[in-house]
């Protein structure tokens, strides 16, 4: 591994059985990876510069950010990044600074995608019905400032900002 990256990690179970939970990571300097406690597996996405900055697992997909691009794996397979099998890319138009899943029921859960100057929410259950909706086109988040403490908190130029879910 090349040095000087800043790591983000997510634990997720793409296999479904009790012993297939893995740790996934990205650092902006190396390829994303999977680690099961013994075996370290670099994940090749096919990007020319395959060094994602941010990572999250959501609804059976591994999401990675590459500057202004959000890409996700094929469903339930973090090793496959082919559009033929369900992987996709979402152009954000600004530098992606992080992700945060919003709590809800499994079918309704949404993924918040933060950029430096905007906040968008990804609804849907798969790449066939994703719907990216702008939430706040004047507030985004600084990278690595996004946290969930009973609600989503992040830092922006305006200071500390929050995002909370509702039934409406």
């Amino acid at each position: 591994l090349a040095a000087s990256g800043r790591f983000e990690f997510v634990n997720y179970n793409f296999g479904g059985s009790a012993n297939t939970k893995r740790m996934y990571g990205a650092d902006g300097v190396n390829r994303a990876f999977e680690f099961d406690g013994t075996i370290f597996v670099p994940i090749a996405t096919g990007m020319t510069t395959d060094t994602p900055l941010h990572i999250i697992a959501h609804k059976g997909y591994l999401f990675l950010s590459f500057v202004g691009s959000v890409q996700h794996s094929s469903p339930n397979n973090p090793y496959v990044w082919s559009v033929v099998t369900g992987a996709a890319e979402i152009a954000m138009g600004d530098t992606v600074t992080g992700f945060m899943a919003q709590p809800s029921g499994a079918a309704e859960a949404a993924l918040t995608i933060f950029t430096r100057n905007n906040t968008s929410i990804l609804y849907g259950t798969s790449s066939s019905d994703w719907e990216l909706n702008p939430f706040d086109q004047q507030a985004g988040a600084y990278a690595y400032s996004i946290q969930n403490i009973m609600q989503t908190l992040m830092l922006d130029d305006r200071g500390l900002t929050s995002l909370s879910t509702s039934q409406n």
Side-chain angles (χ1 to χ4, degrees):
L1 291 174
S4 78
R6 181 168 179 171
F7 284 95
E8 283 188 355
F9 302 99
V10 61
N11 294 321
Y12 199 78
N13 190 338
F14 285 101
S17 69
N19 63 351
T20 55
K21 190 170 190 175
R22 307 282 190 261
M23 178 177 69
Y24 297 87
D27 68 355
V29 178
N30 298 285
R31 286 185 175 173
F33 65 86
E34 175 189 86
F35 185 61
D36 69 358
T38 303
I39 300 170
F40 181 89
V41 181
I43 297 173
T45 66
M47 289 290 290
T48 303
T49 304
D50 201 352
T51 56
L53 281 167
H54 305 286
I55 187 168
I56 195 167
H58 180 70
K59 293 191 176 184
Y61 295 86
L62 186 65
F63 283 79
L64 301 172
S65 74
F66 298 87
V67 190
S69 170
V70 170
Q71 298 181 25
H72 66 73
S73 68
S74 296
N76 298 309
N77 194 337
Y79 305 125
V80 179
W81 295 78
S82 169
V83 295
V84 174
T85 57
E89 177 180 19
I90 303 167
M92 296 304 297
D94 195 6
T95 301
V96 177
T97 56
F99 303 107
M100 182 62 67
Q102 298 303 310
S104 184
E108 300 85 22
L111 178 64
T112 306
I113 303 172
F114 295 93
T115 67
R116 182 58 196 88
N117 300 295
N118 303 298
T119 303
S120 299
I121 301 179
L122 184 67
Y123 296 98
T125 58
S126 72
S127 57
S128 65
D129 70 351
W130 293 138
E131 183 179 321
L132 184 68
N133 292 322
F135 178 78
D136 191 335
Q137 298 305 293
Q138 298 174 359
Y142 289 126
Y144 311 106
S145 73
I146 306 156
Q147 299 296 317
N148 188 346
I149 307 169
M150 302 297 285
Q151 62 184 342
T152 301
L153 299 172
M154 62 284 206
L155 288 174
D156 187 34
D157 295 323
R158 296 187 267 182
L160 187 62
T161 306
S162 67
L163 172 69
S164 58
T165 59
S166 74
Q167 292 182 344
N168 298 325

